[in-house]
Amino acid sequence: MSTNRVHTFCRICEPYCGLLAEVEDGRIVSLRNDKDHPIHKGFSCHKGIQYLRVHQDPDRLNYPLRRCNPRSEERGDFAQVTWDQAATEVGARLNDIVQRHGDKAIAMYTGNPIVFNSGFFANAEALSAGFGAGPRFGALTQDCANKFAGSEAIYGSFLVHPFPDLLHTDYFVGIGCNPAVSHMAFIEISDPMAKLRAIKQRGGKTVFINPRRIESATPETGEVLQIKPDTDFYFLAGLLHEIIFKIGYDGERVGKHAKNFDELIEFVKTWPAERAAAVSGISLETIREIAREFCAAPSASIYMSTGVNQGSQGVLAYWMLQMISLVSGNLGKRGGNLYCVGFCPTAQFTRRKQDQPFFDTEFGELRAIAGTMPGNLMPELLESRQNPVKALIVISGNPLLSIGGEARLRAALQGLELIVVLDIYRSATAELADYVLPATDFLEREDINTLGLGHQLEPHVQYTPAVVPAAGERRDDWWILSRLLQAMGRPSLLDDPQPKPFGAVEAMLQYSGLSLDKLKQLPCQTAVLPEPDPEELFRFGVQNDDGLIDCCPQLFRRGYASAEEHWQGLLAEPKDQLKLITRRTPLMVNSWMHNLPVHKKSVHMTNPLWMNPRDAESRSLFAGDEVRVQTDFGQVQADLVLDETLRPGVVAMSHGWGQSKAYGLSTARRFPGVNVNQLAAVGPGSFDVLSNQAQLTGINVQVIASSP
Amino acid sequence: MTFVIAAPCVADYSCVEVCPVDCISPGPEDPEFQEAEQLYINPQQCIGCGACVEVCPVVAIYSADSLPVRWQHYAEVNRSYFMRRTKTDDVPRGES
């Protein structure tokens, strides 16, 4: 029997870790970390390796399905149809809807996995535009829209996110992140924990800021300052205040690369470190010490992630972070925060089109962020009287669980005429669909690592073929959408007798003198590119017309009052107010991998409520108690697990659970857990107006023992 | 960074099942499993993902740099278990 070894890579998160598949008789028999990979050198986490179980999962979708029972019944009764049947029927129904209700009647939702799918992603704009001008939604507004809004206003492109140069930095501050578990969003980095250990080994220092003593904080990396949830903006503003008013800033660098610095000073003046100390749980002395150390280090870098993004002040926090890097002289400097062109400078393609993005709607002034409307308004926008939506196409997403207010959204979805879901699984959302169309998984499709462009610590580009042909009648997402467009009589990639989904990727590769064919000839199909020149940020990143970084975008003024209000609210809170944070465990990724039996062990058979033992004691609660967690917006039942890594006053739960109605997922449904997003505020006024970002962490909750 | 199994281990094999690179021994299929007092992590193969830590019912697994002081020597205990095994035994399951 011949064994074929295929070098490929993981597409669960940004690092794109190298994987090695062994294929026998057209079947993958093993999937391992790829020790030959020139960048990852054998590092990958268990999630990528265990993706083989996703590939082999008997619950996977193999054929197009059409619903036979009314959508009012929560369990779908689906029958297998051919691709031609599915496409023809969906195409005709979409055309009918557009004819009756106009060009804005088809909405779309894209989930997170699609961004790791270059065949789709490189054509995303055209594929989306093909379905008209209806509202677009996505997981974006649930976990990182603040970064897009922040960078668009500051740098002029929503895809410029200067990342910490962990290979050279002498001082690293990581806020609301946990690299040991989640690696690092918005950075394409191999083995992040090794990079953090190396900082200490070369005499540098790492400080984590997190309400929880995270797995990433070890004696070989650095300590955690246990901040109170959703106070990161004040902490960052306090640091910036110290640097500008006490320590002194790099005026030359600011003058050369930035504008509106005086306005920034005016703003920062209102947020001294004393105000941060009053609400953040981090002492004034400590804030000052970090500011001093940051500025005294030969180089210093700073990073924030989902724990801050999902709070209430994510845009302003990201702004402060960029300004700390700039005024301390670390932006665009070796060891500071960098931009990296990689194989193609893409920031120019996402240049801000208008300074004032807001427009009037029946729900007040709104904006789109990277084309995406607020998830928290999804039910309202679907039911809009001005622009009623009648059909929804969901692409590798699970809005029912990812967006808050599950019951409200379920009702809005049930009011639609047509729901089409493209997925690898019959997810909780797919259960509501009229048509469920089977997509390929990452072992069944060719790809390159496009998402990291701009944010690669170790620039490289890798091609992977499909490791094995698609099972059943699974198809690539680009093909499925193109097939639907074709059935509607609209232009699509399939108009070409030899469709070229990678045409856009080929054009990007040309910038570096590469091509897919050239990549295929290289070891691991990988081209290693030179390390980024720190000045690339100013040459290729900044997209404002004058080439200057905007230190104080006008747009942010809309957020000033909310920052003040939130601060006053924190001061006025009772001392024993519990705050809920969301926590990703090593055994889950959003709602991606809930159907793997191997992960349903120990405490991970459900999503418990983690609580500090002190808080449990003062409430006469005990480990194993069933508790009710409630907010003004919803409630869930959970088992109590004591966790002394949490700051007292902080409780934590994992999201992505609540699978009891995912009838097509046998394991997930056996271990359903609860949907923690039901506790979040939804509807008008519940999201950050600057970015459409939902608040999913730092939520005030009550925890009560459930009556027996 | 590797992980280490320390004294509390009760040879429950949740960790063996969840380990993506089969670096925990002996597994339930191995002859010595019946007699095993504890399981061991092969530091040469561990990728440091920490999945085993999450599923251990008795909190016996620690990252090598965070071992409680009283169990510091377990890093060596784990390593030497694999040194003792013959060369052929050392071939990880699934790659033979």
Side-chain angles (χ1 to χ4, degrees), chain A residues 241 244-245 249 260-270 551-552:
Chain A
H241 191 280
I244 291 179
F245 293 102
Y249 55 89
N260 296 332
F261 186 61
D262 291 341
E263 285 91 328
L264 174 69
I265 290 182
E266 282 306 306
F267 175 76
V268 174
K269 201 182 272 177
T270 61
C551 291
C552 195

Side-chain angles (χ1 to χ4, degrees), chain A residues 113-381:
Chain A
I114 207 70
V115 302
F116 301 101
N117 179 339
S118 61
F120 174 91
F121 204 48
N123 301 298
E125 218 171 291
L127 287 169
S128 169
F131 291 93
R136 301 294 182 252
F137 302 96
L140 174 75
T141 59
Q142 307 308 107
D143 63 7
C144 63
N146 63 311
K147 286 194 171 180
F148 281 58
S151 66
E152 186 179 77
I154 297 165
Y155 298 109
S157 158
F158 62 73
L159 283 187
V160 176
H161 302 278
F163 58 86
D165 179 8
L166 296 179
L167 293 175
H168 304 95
T169 197
D170 298 292
Y171 194 86
F172 172 61
V173 179
I175 312 171
C177 62
N178 191 3
V181 170
S182 297
H183 309 126
M184 300 178 87
F186 286 71
I187 313 181
E188 191 175 334
I189 177 177
S190 67
D191 198 353
M193 289 299 289
K195 309 289 184 293
L196 296 177
R197 288 193 295 272
I199 295 173
K200 186 157 185 178
Q201 282 160 12
R202 61 177 178 261
K205 181 172 176 177
T206 290
V207 181
F208 294 106
I209 313 289
N210 204 301
R212 191 173 152 258
R213 213 163 60 234
I214 46 175
E215 291 83 346
S216 308
T218 78
E220 295 186 353
T221 56
E223 290 183 6
V224 188
L225 292 173
Q226 289 192 268
I227 193 168
K228 288 185 183 172
D230 200 19
T231 62
D232 312 274
F233 159 71
Y234 310 106
F235 170 76
L236 287 160
L239 285 184
L240 186 58
H241 191 280
E242 285 297 306
I243 297 170
I244 291 179
F245 293 102
K246 303 269 172 57
I247 299 168
Y249 55 89
D250 186 341
E252 195 190 323
R253 205 166 185 79
V254 171
K256 187 172 170 200
H257 296 295
K259 62 183 173 187
N260 296 332
F261 186 61
D262 291 341
E263 285 91 328
L264 174 69
I265 290 182
E266 282 306 306
F267 175 76
V268 174
K269 201 182 272 177
T270 61
W271 291 107
E274 285 83 354
R275 295 190 78 189
V279 294
S280 67
I282 298 182
S283 71
L284 180 60
E285 206 168 289
T286 305
I287 297 170
R288 287 182 167 157
E289 189 185 328
I290 293 175
R292 275 197 305 272
E293 289 179 353
F294 197 89
C295 292
S299 69
S301 58
I302 186 163
Y303 171 75
M304 67 181 232
S305 197
T306 316
V308 186
N309 298 349
Q310 293 187 325
S312 64
Q313 316 292 324
V315 176
L316 299 189
Y318 200 46
W319 173 31
M320 293 295 101
L321 181 140
Q322 304 302 329
M323 292 303 114
I324 288 169
S325 182
L326 172 70
V327 305
S328 66
N330 282 294
L331 189 64
K333 183 181 121 178
R334 181 76 60 221
N337 281 57
L338 302 182
Y339 177 80
C340 164
V341 165
F343 70 84
C344 180
T346 49
Q348 54 183 323
F349 305 141
T350 49
R351 229 173 167 183
R352 180 179 58 227
K353 295 188 180 80
Q354 52 207 7
D355 289 335
Q356 204 299 91
F358 290 89
F359 51 89
D360 283 320
T361 75
E362 61 198 286
F363 310 104
E365 273 195 317
L366 292 177
R367 68 171 299 186
I369 188 75
T372 310
M373 298 303 289
N376 276 13
L377 269 192
M378 190 167 169
E380 286 78 5
L381 289 165

Side-chain angles (χ1 to χ4, degrees), chain A residues 59-101:
Chain A
D59 284 347
R60 284 280 305 280
L61 295 167
N62 287 314
Y63 304 97
L65 300 176
R66 175 176 60 201
R67 191 186 198 91
C68 305
N69 59 333
R71 253 194 291 112
S72 53
E73 291 175 23
E74 68 175 31
R75 181 175 191 147
D77 174 17
F78 292 100
Q80 183 181 331
V81 291
T82 66
W83 273 109
D84 277 345
Q85 281 173 308
T88 308
E89 291 170 18
V90 170
R93 290 182 67 176
L94 289 174
N95 276 341
D96 175 53
I97 285 170
V98 171
Q99 201 170 22
R100 284 184 289 122
H101 300 282

